């Protein structure tokens, strides 16, 4: 792996090993990860081309954590390390001097970027993506879109953390889930909790359908006519259907 550093208007190649402070190094101001240089002196390029090249280098640096996380995930999932290493963790430690925690943080950050890829922009740094990773994947895009809408052009890890904490509370995740998402409710439980909170706020649009087949099976024809103030001579057959709003059903005593 090679890094390229700016010095006196040139891009110089510098060999560098990954250290335990990999994440800090990825986001330092004077070191960026780029493709092999196709030029040596930016000053020789026309101004518009120089701007494009400089922006490519900056963009590559901002996306470095994403690219590394994607590569690590592929190595892990396809077990590309198995020819010389027994485990993925051993490969990361010996080949790149990356701690287990760091490797998985990079992988999780890549997954976050993949999950929010349809938004106007993606997290600019690994620290931003890592905060979003505290939320279950199905809610990361929602939280990120709200961050983009509420804090355009001024996004920090602190702002994202506050949004994530509010989402954790809104979605019914307890304090334990903040520490270890493995202990969080399943996707189905999470969706049900969110649905209940939504229903509690507003019942508009919710309808309850009662079929004649159900009424007949439970011998409730007479009771249903009385409850719904129907003509006593009206017939309730299997094709009969009645629809109530949520509030109507509650007023009739059908819901607690």
């Amino acid at each position: 792996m090679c890094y390229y550093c700016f010095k006196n208007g040139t891009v110089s190649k510098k060999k560098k090993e990954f250290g335990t402070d990999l994440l800090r190094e990825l986001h330092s101001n004077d070191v960026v990860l780029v493709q092999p240089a196709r030029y040596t002196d930016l000053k020789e390029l026309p101004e518009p081309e120089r701007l494009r090249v400089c922006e490519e280098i900056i963009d590559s640096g901002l996306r470095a954590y994403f690219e590394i996380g994607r590569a690590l995930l592929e190595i892990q999932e396809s077990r590309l390390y198995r020819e010389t290493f027994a485990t993925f963790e051993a490969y990361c430690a010996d080949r790149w001097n990356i701690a287990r925690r760091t490797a998985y943080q990079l992988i999780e950050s890549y997954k976050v970027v993949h999950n929010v890829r349809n938004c106007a922009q993606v997290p600019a740094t690994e620290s931003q993506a890592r905060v979003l990773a505290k939320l279950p994947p199905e809610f990361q895009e929602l939280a990120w879109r709200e961050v983009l809408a509420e804090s355009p052009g001024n996004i920090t890890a602190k702002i994202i953390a506050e949004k994530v904490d509010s989402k954790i509370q809104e979605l019914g995740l307890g304090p334990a889930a903040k520490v270890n998402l493995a202990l969080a409710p399943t996707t189905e439980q999470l969706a049900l909790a969110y649905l209940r909170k939504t229903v509690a706020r507003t019942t508009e649009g919710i309808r309850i359908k009662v079929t004649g087949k159900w009424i007949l099976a439970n011998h409730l024809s007479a009771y249903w006519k009385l409850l719904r103030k129907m003509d006593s001579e009206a017939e309730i057959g299997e094709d009969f259907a009645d629809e109530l709003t949520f509030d109507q059903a509650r007023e009739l005593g059908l819901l607690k």
Side-chain angles (χ1 to χ4, degrees):
M1 182 67 66
C2 297
Y3 283 78
Y4 294 79
C5 305
F6 277 112
K7 188 173 182 180
N8 300 325
T10 63
V11 181
S12 59
K13 188 173 182 180
K14 181 180 179 183
K15 192 75 173 178
K16 190 173 185 67
E17 292 184 357
F18 284 137
T20 54
D21 57 346
L22 170 66
L23 300 185
R24 179 182 62 79
E25 293 179 12
L26 284 177
H27 305 300
S28 61
N29 293 326
D30 60 343
V31 180
V32 291
L33 184 66
V34 298
Q35 299 298 323
R38 299 183 299 274
Y39 39 80
T40 56
D41 192 347
L42 293 175
K43 297 296 185 184
E44 294 178 358
L45 297 172
E47 190 168 297
E49 178 70 4
R50 200 185 318 158
L51 174 62
R52 184 187 66 79
V53 168
C54 287
E55 289 182 342
E56 280 185 2
I57 293 173
I58 294 170
D59 183 58
S60 295
L62 294 177
R63 290 186 295 107
Y65 77 89
F66 168 78
E67 300 294 351
I68 294 174
R70 179 170 61 175
L72 287 173
L73 180 62
E74 178 62 26
I75 291 170
Q76 180 201 38
E77 289 186 338
S78 300
R79 300 179 64 205
L80 302 179
Y81 56 82
R82 65 185 182 278
E83 185 175 340
T84 51
F85 294 94
T87 65
F88 173 68
E89 293 76 9
Y91 164 79
C92 290
D94 190 77
R95 179 68 178 84
W96 301 112
N97 194 26
I98 299 179
R100 178 184 186 279
R101 179 182 179 185
T102 300
Y104 283 101
Q105 282 179 343
L106 286 164
I107 289 175
E108 288 304 312
S109 295
Y110 159 70
K111 290 179 178 179
V112 167
V113 173
H114 182 74
N115 289 337
V116 303
R117 65 190 183 280
N118 293 323
C119 297
Q121 67 186 72
V122 297
T125 66
E126 190 276 338
S127 60
Q128 291 184 1
R130 192 183 343 138
V131 176
L132 278 173
K134 294 181 180 179
L135 283 172
E138 58 269 28
F139 294 105
Q140 291 170 3
E141 181 176 340
L142 174 63
W144 180 242
R145 286 187 183 278
E146 291 182 8
V147 169
L148 292 177
E150 296 168 10
S151 306
N154 187 33
I155 299 173
T156 64
K158 181 180 179 182
I159 290 175
I160 300 172
E162 291 173 352
K163 175 60 66 176
V164 167
D165 286 343
S166 70
K167 281 297 175 188
I168 287 174
Q169 294 299 321
E170 180 183 339
L171 298 171
L173 295 174
K178 292 184 182 181
V179 178
N180 185 358
L181 280 177
L183 301 178
T186 64
T187 300
E188 291 77 11
Q189 291 171 329
L190 196 60
L192 181 58
Y194 186 70
L195 177 62
R196 285 172 175 165
K197 285 180 178 291
T198 303
V199 170
R201 289 195 296 268
T202 174
T203 58
E204 184 180 354
I206 297 176
R207 296 290 184 271
I208 298 172
K209 184 177 181 180
V210 180
T211 66
K213 188 175 182 179
W214 179 84
I215 292 174
L216 294 172
N218 290 279
H219 310 289
L220 293 172
S221 297
Y223 175 75
W224 195 259
K225 292 178 185 179
L226 179 64
L227 190 68
R228 298 291 283 157
K229 298 179 180 179
M230 296 171 59
D231 190 322
S232 59
E233 301 297 322
E235 183 179 350
I236 295 181
E238 289 193 356
D239 294 333
F240 174 84
D242 200 354
E243 189 176 86
L244 308 172
T245 66
F246 192 89
D247 290 335
Q248 285 175 329
R250 181 179 287 165
E251 289 172 3
L252 292 174
L254 300 178
L255 298 175
K256 292 183 180 179

